[in-house]
Amino acid sequence: MTATAKMIMTTPAVSVTERQTIKDVIELLAKNNFSGVPVVDDNNIVVGILSNTDIIRYSQQVSVIPLTDLSGWISPYTDVTDLAALRQGIDLITRTTAAEIMTRKVYTATEDTPVTELARLMSRRRINRVPIVDAAGKLIGIVTRADLVKSMAGE
């Protein structure tokens, strides 16, 4: 019997909405020790993926040091002009939504997709997670690289 996504996927998949702020997403990722999450619309249809790579890239663009939580210690030797830029960047993160920085090209699969095909997709596309969707495109689960490794280990 061929192993399928249904056999190894995590359900329910944790996701965020398009309207959630980057600050909310950072807190969710840190709390759950995730490196990314699917982004869904009001009908639970996958419209994007938001990963720590997206957040770090955006944080660098707006002069924010990528922090797990936004209340960090700042050195007394920090240049005051840097502090102003940092504060502006943090303020921007609290207003920026997931839809603004998410990756819109999402590779999804169905629960009948063979595990070997998921592994090939992740390897070829250099992605770390594949949302599993139903026929209408609604999120029903997720397969991560960790799920693939557990599957190979027989867990």
Side-chain angles (χ1 to χ4, degrees):
M1 181 167 127
T2 303
T4 62
K6 184 176 184 173
M7 300 165 89
I8 69 166
M9 70 183 183
T10 300
T11 61
V14 174
S15 63
V16 297
T17 68
E18 298 171 283
R19 292 183 304 281
Q20 282 184 265
T21 67
I22 300 310
K23 180 179 184 255
D24 292 340
V25 176
I26 289 170
E27 290 169 356
L28 176 73
L29 293 177
K31 177 183 172 194
N32 292 288
N33 199 28
F34 292 160
S35 61
V37 289
V39 180
V40 296
D41 67 11
D42 292 335
N43 297 314
N44 203 38
I45 294 176
V46 177
V47 294
I49 287 278
L50 190 51
S51 70
N52 55 8
T53 302
D54 297 317
I55 293 169
I56 290 168
R57 186 178 306 123
Y58 180 73
S59 296
Q60 290 171 337
Q61 290 172 359
V62 295
S63 301
V64 175
I65 300 168
L67 301 170
T68 303
D69 112 33
L70 297 178
S71 62
W73 288 97
I74 297 175
S75 166
Y77 304 106
T78 303
D79 183 357
V80 177
T81 58
D82 290 345
L83 282 178
L86 178 61
R87 181 74 245 163
Q88 287 175 343
I90 290 171
D91 288 344
L92 191 56
I93 279 185
T94 62
R95 293 188 316 267
T96 303
T97 64
E100 294 176 68
I101 71 165
M102 70 184 182
T103 299
R104 294 184 185 279
K105 183 159 181 77
V106 183
Y107 296 95
T108 62
T110 64
E111 56 187 5
D112 297 327
T113 303
V115 170
T116 53
E117 191 176 319
L118 290 171
R120 195 173 308 118
L121 175 64
M122 287 182 188
S123 178
R124 285 186 179 157
R125 297 297 178 184
R126 294 188 175 116
I127 56 176
N128 296 323
R129 65 203 55 81
V130 176
I132 306 302
V133 298
D134 65 13
K138 292 185 179 186
L139 182 66
I140 58 173
I142 192 162
V143 174
T144 64
R145 286 182 183 255
D147 294 324
L148 288 177
V149 171
K150 287 178 191 173
S151 157
M152 287 187 272
E155 291 184 23

